[in-house]
Amino acid sequence: MQRCLDLAVLGKGYTAPNPMVGSLIYDEGKIVAEGYHLRYGSDHAERACLKRLSHTLSKDATLFVNMEPCNHHGKTPPCTDTIISSGIKKVVIGQQDPNPKVSGTGIERLKLCGIEVEMNVLENKCRELNKHFNKFHEDKRPYITLKWAQSSDGYMGLENKNIRISNDESTYLTHSWRAEEQSILIGSKTMNIDNPKLDVRRLKGRNPIPIILSPEGNVISTHYLLQNESTLVLSHHINPNLTAQQIKLDPEKEVLHQVLQILYAKNINSVFVEGGSITLHKFIEASLWDEAKVIIADAKLQQGIVAPTLKEKAYHQESIGSNRVHFYKNRNGAISSA
């Protein structure tokens, strides 16, 4: 199963909104075929694995996969059909699929066809690998990761100025984090001051969907992302000067839960909140976050915008050149926005 996870992670950043899945066939004391889900819309891991099989299997051949095989038609045919037609008589599964379209039906179908099924092998590792996918289907909202950089004395920047705090290594790391996420969100103040691209230009990867949260609609319409058709702007007002997609928020309803409902409806299973202090504070106050990644630079600002604080203690720290990164998990986060 660990080998399945190693294969699955090769699709990182490309499979969303599908999970990362790896599969292999073990026969006569060795692995005889392997496969993984390469990208959204491509063959699922089980089918990719069986396509690489070059000889007839023995009656004891076992297929391993870290996520329950699907049992419905989507971008590809059901993986259960492929497994059943292969003649394999045992399947070992890491975790049950939380997607209600599958959720146990794949396991049941295999068993009804006389296939032995072993469940929950390295389940915790399997669930951690696909935490975005699991959160989305179990709690009906995207997995939320907060990120910010701050000076060693606790400031994010200076008012109304675009200044750089972190080093080159931390910038590269941030781009690698972005490549793992399906979307990235900032507020209108950050949008107006920084005019960012929010892409992964420092490395090879898929750019996340940019989301601008601007309830009051006070954005500079000529800025880069607002003239980009892939950008999603969430506001109480529709601006005719924007090329970006716009969704009008209900001013009578709480903003953040509306945002998460919209992203859930759009099948976006993760959001990387890289906004300024105001936006970050809103998510923290509502306890609507799952992870936080905080870059602490060695420089001091002595004044400026005070960085957010978290009640939780960092579960991990590491050095990135002259910077440090603190990692947090929210153990008591809000569960659902539905």
Side-chain angles (χ1 to χ4, degrees):
M1 188 58 68
Q2 182 59 56
R3 177 57 183 165
C4 288
L5 294 173
D6 294 341
L7 291 167
V9 80
L10 296 175
K12 196 170 194 176
Y14 292 97
T15 65
N18 286 349
M20 292 174 279
V21 184
S23 182
L24 62 83
I25 298 170
Y26 188 78
D27 192 22
E28 296 183 331
K30 61 182 179 180
I31 296 172
V32 296
E34 295 182 333
Y36 68 96
H37 187 33
L38 178 64
R39 63 173 60 87
Y40 180 64
S42 69
D43 283 338
H44 287 186
E46 302 93 321
R47 184 176 293 272
C49 176
L50 285 162
K51 279 185 176 180
R52 290 174 173 80
L53 189 63
S54 59
H55 65 276
T56 303
L57 297 171
S58 76
K59 62 181 178 61
D60 296 320
T62 301
L63 184 141
F64 287 76
V65 62
N66 60 289
M67 181 73 72
E68 176 185 1
C70 67
N71 191 43
H72 67 288
H73 284 272
K75 291 283 185 179
T76 59
C79 290
T80 49
D81 288 354
T82 305
I83 295 169
I84 292 163
S85 63
S86 74
I88 287 172
K89 296 302 180 185
K90 182 175 180 179
V91 176
V92 179
I93 299 169
Q95 73 153 101
Q96 182 171 316
D97 191 331
N99 186 342
K101 292 181 179 179
V102 183
S103 196
T105 63
I107 297 165
E108 182 180 5
R109 176 106 192 280
L110 295 176
K111 288 181 176 179
L112 286 173
C113 291
I115 295 174
E116 179 186 352
V117 176
E118 183 178 347
M119 282 296 302
N120 301 331
V121 176
L122 295 185
E123 182 182 12
N124 289 341
K125 283 189 173 183
C126 293
R127 288 186 58 81
E128 177 64 20
L129 178 68
N130 282 303
K131 57 192 175 185
H132 296 172
F133 182 79
N134 290 321
K135 172 63 68 172
F136 181 83
H137 288 292
E138 292 172 350
D139 291 351
K140 295 181 171 55
R141 69 160 172 84
Y143 192 94
I144 302 166
T145 300
L146 310 180
K147 177 266 170 180
W148 71 86
Q150 66 181 64
S151 64
S152 61
D153 54 351
Y155 296 99
M156 292 181 65
L158 301 176
E159 285 288 348
N160 300 315
K161 289 186 179 180
N162 179 6
I163 65 167
R164 183 177 177 184
I165 296 176
S166 57
N167 60 21
D168 283 341
E169 295 96 328
S170 294
T171 301
Y172 183 90
L173 180 62
T174 296
H175 285 218
S176 70
W177 289 337
R178 289 176 180 176
E180 298 172 3
E181 304 286 346
Q182 204 176 348
S183 68
I184 182 169
L185 183 148
I186 62 171
S188 55
K189 187 173 182 179
T190 300
M191 174 79 246
N192 290 339
I193 293 172
D194 294 351
N195 190 15
K197 292 186 176 179
L198 303 183
D199 57 16
V200 298
R201 59 191 178 276
R202 292 289 186 99
L203 65 149
K204 183 179 179 181
R206 187 171 69 172
N207 290 325
I209 299 166
I211 301 168
I212 311 302
L213 179 57
S214 178
E216 302 308 317
N218 53 340
V219 292
I220 299 173
S221 60
T222 55
H223 274 9
Y224 175 78
L225 287 176
L226 300 177
Q227 295 301 319
N228 188 331
E229 292 181 353
S230 66
T231 302
L232 184 62
V233 178
L234 307 179
S235 176
H236 293 144
H237 311 277
I238 297 298
N239 186 334
N241 298 316
L242 305 186
T243 302
Q245 304 173 58
Q246 298 182 72
I247 294 180
K248 189 173 182 179
L249 299 173
D250 186 342
E252 300 299 319
K253 295 181 179 180
E254 198 278 329
V255 170
L256 289 189
H257 283 85
Q258 284 190 78
V259 169
L260 298 185
Q261 287 173 346
I262 290 166
L263 300 187
Y264 180 77
K266 285 185 166 293
N267 210 23
I268 294 174
N269 68 22
S270 71
V271 57
F272 194 57
V273 181
E274 220 181 315
S277 177
I278 295 172
T279 302
L280 289 164
H281 272 110
K282 286 180 179 177
F283 279 91
I284 293 169
E285 288 168 4
S287 198
L288 280 170
W289 63 280
D290 300 291
E291 282 189 64
K293 299 175 179 180
V294 182
I295 296 171
I296 301 176
D298 54 346
K300 291 185 178 182
L301 292 180
Q302 298 182 336
Q303 63 178 338
I305 301 167
V306 177
T309 56
L310 299 170
K311 294 179 181 178
E312 290 76 7
K313 291 185 178 180
Y315 72 89
H316 178 68
Q317 299 181 29
E318 60 185 58
S319 296
I320 307 294
S322 60
N323 293 175
R324 289 175 293 126
V325 186
H326 290 193
F327 297 85
Y328 301 83
K329 286 189 177 179
N330 187 1
R331 308 294 180 181
N332 300 298
I335 291 178
S336 176
S337 64

